[in-house]
Amino acid sequence: DTGVSQDPRHKITKRGQNVTFRCDPISEHNRLYWYRQTLGQGPEFLTYFQNEAQLEKSRLLSDRFSAERPKGSFSTLEIQRTEQGDSAMYLCASSLIDRGLEAFFGQGTRLTVV
Amino acid sequence: GENVEQHPSTLSVQEGDSAVIKCTYSDSASNYFPWYKQELGKGSQLIIDIRSNVGEKKDQRIAVTLNKTAKHFSLHITETQPEDSAVYFCAASYAGGGNKLTFGTGTQLKVEL
């Protein structure tokens, strides 16, 4: 069990470009969450999947954001037409429903939009 | 929606002293309260959690207390060590609603030698 893996760890992009992040959850974990964290704040919920179904999206997730988990394993988060306000740490977490409530977090992808 | 407030934002203690971090939540439906330790380059690690049917939980030097009536919960670290220095986040969730976490704003704990 290698934990939750996120790629890339850092991403610098120009405003207006599209970016995509990947999250590999712990094997067999059926829930996968995306959070966003800005400096000095706690993580904020964006969306979550149970297996391949996206069950909830936060109002923070504008139309420029889309997330997928096509086979119920890894997930991708895409941001289109990035803005400077998108600069943040994007965190992924996973959990296994039958093993309690603990969510395991990855190390995050730090996005800087210049 | 849920709102979690956390205090203090920074806390400095001498090695060996105790540290207490307090959080309040707004949604009475919340029934799960984890605490995460966040260190640079290491991500966020769950250090202890408590469910609403329990008033206190302890794990070695770490304990959490919950007061459902007052909607507040606290993290207690005893015999602090330099490796306890980190940012600590409290969170609250309703376990029956996907267990999405609402986090506090974090406490930077510094344990001084």
Side-chain angles (χ1 to χ4, degrees), chain B residues 7-65:
Chain B
H7 300 279
S9 56
T10 61
L11 180 58
S12 185
V13 299
Q14 293 294 313
E15 183 180 9
D17 287 350
S18 295
V20 180
I21 302 170
K22 298 182 179 182
C23 289
T24 60
Y25 61 100
S26 62
D27 190 348
S28 57
S30 290
N31 56 8
Y32 175 65
F33 307 93
W35 287 87
Y36 282 87
K37 178 182 182 182
Q38 196 174 72
E39 298 175 274
L40 282 175
K42 291 185 179 181
S44 302
Q45 177 191 4
L46 179 74
I47 57 171
I48 196 166
D49 57 10
I50 192 168
R51 301 196 188 200
S52 59
N53 58 347
V54 176
E56 183 174 358
K57 184 177 178 180
K58 188 174 181 180
D59 182 5
Q60 299 182 339
R61 298 185 296 109
I62 295 173
V64 57
T65 59

Side-chain angles (χ1 to χ4, degrees), chain A residues 9 31 33 35 37 40-45 48 50 56 59 91 95 100-108 110, chain B residues 31-32 36 38 40-46 49 51 89 93 95-106:
Chain A
R9 294 288 306 280
R31 277 190 178 161
Y33 304 83
Y35 290 84
Q37 184 176 18
Q41 300 297 315
E44 295 175 295
F45 169 78
Y48 90 97
Q50 186 161 312
E56 187 169 347
R59 289 171 297 174
L91 299 168
S95 67
L101 300 172
E102 181 176 359
F104 295 81
F105 279 80
Q107 294 185 329
R110 180 167 296 284
Chain B
N31 56 8
Y32 175 65
Y36 282 87
Q38 196 174 72
L40 282 175
K42 291 185 179 181
S44 302
Q45 177 191 4
L46 179 74
D49 57 10
R51 301 196 188 200
F89 289 94
S93 74
N99 200 34
K100 58 183 186 292
L101 299 169
T102 300
F103 285 85
T105 50

